[in-house]
Amino acid sequence: MSDGLSTPLMSAAAGDPFYVFRDALHTQVEKVRVQYLKWKDMLDNTNTAKNPEWPSTHLALKASLQSLSTDMTQLEGTVVMVENAPHKFPHISADELRTRRRFVDETKAGIAEMQNAYTSRRTAGKIDNDKRALLTARTPEAGGAGGGASNPYGASHDAFIGEQKQRQEMIRKQQEEHLDGLGESVDRLGAMASSIHVELAEQDRMIDDLDRDVDEAQGSMDQALKQIQKLLQTKDRCQLWTIFLLTLTFLILTVVVFM
């Protein structure tokens, strides 16, 4: 991922839920990045079929990448909402919007890099080769034990099955622990994403209400000017505004004096 994602993020607008969700997502991405590097080291430098940590590490990374992808989609949705109707979010400047889009694009690229490595043909080929190498090593050499009552291949096979059962039980326990922690993170990020959508929807409603109030006030002002125009029989809008403001000032001063 880019250098911009490897440095701590500063919440320039602490009150904006986008920044809260962004910082939480960035922290989650960094944790998954550590997971990914551990997974890649195992893939490149060990026989994955013999490494007891590989199955749980492999499955945990898959779940983490899926969770990140979902959270990233939710965060991008808030940016797209502003991009589609920037006039409804005047507090978000064009520069700020570009900064948010850049963060989304860079983070998506980092997640895609890990996903592509996870699902690549090279990865699948390495895993298959490791399995074949393990099975070959367990097959007794020809002529190694001749004609006795014992069955070296059967004993080796039974030992292999027993070992696999133990590994699967260990994997199941590790996976349950990982999914419990992952579930909490997903719930927390999901709640943050929902708050962003609620915040944007509320701002949209407030802006619509303000536009409506301004239109109503303008209409009332035009009606008042028309009435004054009828009374004074003049069409000079400057004079009308002057009279209107003087009248309003007089009324305000009268109220102040009598209070």
Side-chain angles (χ1 to χ4, degrees):
M1 284 184 285
S2 69
D3 293 339
L5 293 181
S6 63
T7 56
L9 294 174
M10 302 295 292
S11 293
D16 192 329
F18 173 87
Y19 287 96
V20 178
F21 188 78
R22 184 199 69 171
D23 291 349
L25 181 62
H26 172 76
T27 299
Q28 192 67 14
V29 168
E30 291 303 304
K31 289 181 180 178
V32 176
R33 184 70 172 176
V34 173
Q35 257 185 296
Y36 167 77
L37 293 176
K38 178 182 178 181
W39 170 89
K40 191 173 186 302
D41 180 65
M42 287 184 184
L43 178 69
D44 293 340
N45 301 313
T46 70
N47 184 317
T48 57
K50 295 171 64 175
N51 190 331
E53 295 184 16
W54 170 257
S56 60
T57 301
H58 190 61
L59 292 175
L61 181 60
K62 179 181 180 180
S64 296
L65 290 173
Q66 289 175 341
S67 175
L68 276 183
S69 181
T70 299
D71 295 335
M72 191 69 255
T73 298
Q74 292 178 336
L75 184 63
E76 185 175 23
T78 66
V79 175
V80 171
M81 184 184 299
V82 179
E83 288 175 335
N84 291 339
H87 63 281
K88 292 184 177 181
F89 307 96
H91 65 289
I92 300 178
S93 66
D95 288 340
E96 168 64 18
L97 185 56
R98 281 192 292 270
T99 298
R100 297 186 182 195
R101 168 50 67 184
R102 183 167 57 253
F103 171 79
V104 167
D105 290 343
E106 290 179 355
T107 305
K108 284 178 63 178
I111 296 173
E113 174 191 344
M114 294 185 286
Q115 288 175 326
N116 291 338
Y118 186 92
T119 59
S120 69
R121 294 178 61 182
R122 175 184 175 278
T123 296
K126 174 63 164 56
I127 294 173
D128 288 341
N129 289 338
D130 287 347
K131 290 178 180 177
R132 283 195 292 269
L134 180 62
L135 291 174
T136 300
R138 290 181 180 278
T139 302
E141 296 178 3
S150 63
N151 186 345
Y153 179 75
S156 177
H157 179 73
D158 291 342
F160 175 73
I161 295 299
E163 180 183 333
Q164 290 300 311
K165 287 182 178 179
Q166 292 179 354
R167 290 178 63 190
Q168 290 299 324
E169 179 64 20
M170 181 184 67
I171 292 168
R172 184 185 65 79
K173 292 180 180 179
Q174 291 177 343
Q175 190 70 5
E176 287 178 354
E177 294 174 359
H178 176 77
L179 289 176
D180 287 342
L182 183 62
E184 294 177 0
S185 297
V186 170
D187 291 341
R188 184 167 57 254
L189 291 174
M192 290 181 182
S194 298
S195 70
I196 291 177
H197 285 289
V198 171
E199 178 82 11
L200 291 175
E202 179 64 18
Q203 291 176 358
D204 193 7
R205 184 191 63 78
M206 292 173 62
I207 291 172
D208 289 340
D209 290 344
L210 179 61
D211 289 341
R212 185 168 53 253
D213 291 342
V214 170
D215 290 341
E216 291 177 355
Q218 185 63 46
S220 299
M221 192 72 70
D222 290 341
Q223 287 293 331
L225 288 174
K226 288 180 180 179
Q227 293 296 328
I228 295 174
Q229 180 180 341
K230 289 181 180 179
L231 291 174
L232 301 177
Q233 296 297 317
T234 177
K235 295 184 180 181
D236 189 337
R237 293 185 64 87
C238 291
Q239 288 185 3
L240 293 176
W241 273 108
T242 301
I243 294 171
F244 180 79
L245 292 174
L246 289 174
T247 303
L248 182 60
T249 302
F250 173 77
L251 292 175
I252 293 174
L253 290 175
T254 301
V255 171
V256 171
V257 170
F258 283 98
M259 288 180 61

